[in-house]
Amino acid sequence: MLKAFGQAPTKTDSLILNADTLIERLNRAKFNKAWILSNAYWYGSPFTPVENEYEEVKKQNDWTAAQAARYADRLAAFMSVNPLKPYALKEIERCADSKHFTGLKLHFANSKVNLFDKAHVSQLQKVFALANENRLVLFIHFRNAQDWNGKTNAEIFVKHLAAFAKETKIVIAHLGGWGNYDKPTDEALKVMVTYMHKNGAGGNNLYFDLSAVLPANANEGRQPAEGKGSWNAAAALPKRIGQIGLDHILFGTDWPLIDIDPYTRLLESALGTPIVREILRNTVPVDAGK
């Protein structure tokens, strides 16, 4: 994958990120459970073409399930796939039938999903419906580009996709963005918050995680910009979280980019310790399997 990007591996890239590594990190931070998210979607990415693509996807998903099974009382596996691939539905069904997976991860940016393409939306509706049928939690990296209209993309999501997964849970990674918290992300969240409140019980299946919302250097220069027209992420972030409701906010780090304890401290500096401690207790009720 690094070769496809023209990058050389580093010491960090060479780490064995298996179940033992995760359990050690969880124990260090006094965490009990975690979700393991497969990276199989990378093998179906237009950015990183590989030979025997579908075989590689299956191997990665199966390896993830096997790692989670080693600590079945603490780790839950999520399969992943490029949802636009011809084999996507087949792979979701295969993994669901194995009963080894709690959920499905989708990465719209890595898979080059375009919500303005009706064919993409139609395919995603099938993916959402299949996850819903099998009660697989949908974990979605929603933002797909740097130049991104968060409001319009979120409107398409709530109007044309969310209804296909009403019987399962949907978790939106990075509070709807892809790291940091900028104005397009905030505008996407505003649409999703409105959807949640308008739909009542129908919006109760929507959750958001805090992974990578604050960068590792977030404590540097966190003073809000001056001027009425300036974007003030430090003020907007707590406001949106309050509108969503703390019970629908989940902890996440985007590890191994940052570990559990230092990211917890960053969140406490931005949101306050009481709020973060409440978020740390949140879980998503799941009912995987047909």
Side-chain angles (χ1 to χ4, degrees):
M1 295 174 187
L2 288 168
K3 185 178 179 181
F5 283 117
Q7 298 176 3
T10 67
K11 184 177 180 181
T12 301
D13 299 321
S14 302
L15 291 174
I16 304 300
L17 307 180
N18 61 11
D20 293 330
T21 311
L22 287 173
I23 291 297
E24 189 274 333
R25 291 298 198 282
L26 292 175
N27 288 344
R28 181 189 303 174
K30 296 181 174 61
F31 272 54
N32 186 34
K33 297 182 179 182
W35 289 344
I36 296 182
L37 307 177
S38 167
N39 282 327
Y41 63 88
W42 271 102
Y43 294 99
S45 172
F47 300 110
T48 52
V50 296
E51 295 181 2
N52 304 314
E53 179 183 307
Y54 184 34
E55 291 303 311
E56 294 297 331
V57 168
K58 289 191 288 186
K59 284 196 299 184
Q60 176 67 12
N61 281 330
D62 290 345
W63 182 83
T64 302
Q67 291 300 304
R70 294 177 56 208
Y71 299 92
D73 60 330
R74 300 187 65 184
L75 302 176
F78 277 55
M79 72 185 87
S80 72
V81 70
N82 178 337
L84 305 180
K85 290 291 181 173
Y87 57 77
L89 298 177
K90 178 181 178 181
E91 177 62 3
I92 294 168
E93 192 70 66
R94 183 188 76 88
C95 290
D97 287 345
S98 75
K99 308 299 183 185
H100 295 153
F101 295 90
T102 294
L104 164 65
K105 177 179 179 178
L106 303 176
H107 198 299
F108 284 7
N110 185 276
S111 300
K112 296 194 75 170
V113 169
N114 178 7
L115 295 186
F116 298 106
D117 186 323
K118 292 182 179 179
H120 286 199
V121 173
S122 177
Q123 174 66 7
L124 285 170
Q125 288 172 344
K126 296 174 185 177
V127 168
F128 276 44
L130 187 56
N132 188 74
E133 177 186 344
N134 289 280
R135 299 299 186 268
L136 296 167
V137 177
L138 278 165
F139 189 94
I140 304 172
H141 178 115
F142 183 61
R143 184 166 180 166
N144 65 357
Q146 178 67 41
D147 184 13
W148 181 70
N149 188 317
K151 178 178 183 292
T152 306
N153 276 271
E155 286 172 346
I156 294 171
F157 176 83
V158 300
K159 291 178 182 177
H160 300 292
L161 292 175
F164 287 83
K166 284 188 174 180
E167 303 303 319
T168 188
K169 304 297 187 296
I170 302 173
V171 179
I172 305 297
H174 315 307
L175 278 185
W178 60 2
N180 294 325
Y181 190 77
D182 60 7
K183 195 166 185 178
T185 301
D186 187 65
E187 290 171 346
L189 262 189
K190 183 179 180 180
V191 172
M192 293 185 180
V193 168
T194 300
Y195 164 79
M196 291 177 70
H197 293 316
K198 280 187 176 180
N199 283 270
N204 283 342
N205 68 327
L206 196 57
Y207 293 79
F208 302 85
D209 96 335
L210 292 172
S211 59
V213 171
L214 297 178
N217 62 349
N219 280 330
E220 300 174 11
R222 284 193 64 251
Q223 295 299 319
E226 296 180 359
K228 289 185 177 181
S230 299
W231 165 245
N232 187 344
L237 177 59
K239 176 183 176 181
R240 289 286 178 238
I241 288 176
Q243 290 172 341
I244 292 167
L246 289 183
D247 56 334
H248 280 248
I249 301 294
L250 306 173
F251 177 78
T253 65
D254 219 19
W255 180 81
L257 297 182
I258 187 170
D259 217 331
I260 297 172
D261 285 332
Y263 193 61
T264 300
R265 290 193 291 270
L266 282 179
L267 289 173
E268 288 175 342
S269 71
L271 302 176
T273 299
I275 288 177
V276 174
R277 293 298 166 182
E278 186 170 343
I279 291 171
L280 288 174
R281 290 192 289 268
N282 289 341
T283 59
V284 176
V286 298
D287 181 25
K290 293 181 181 178

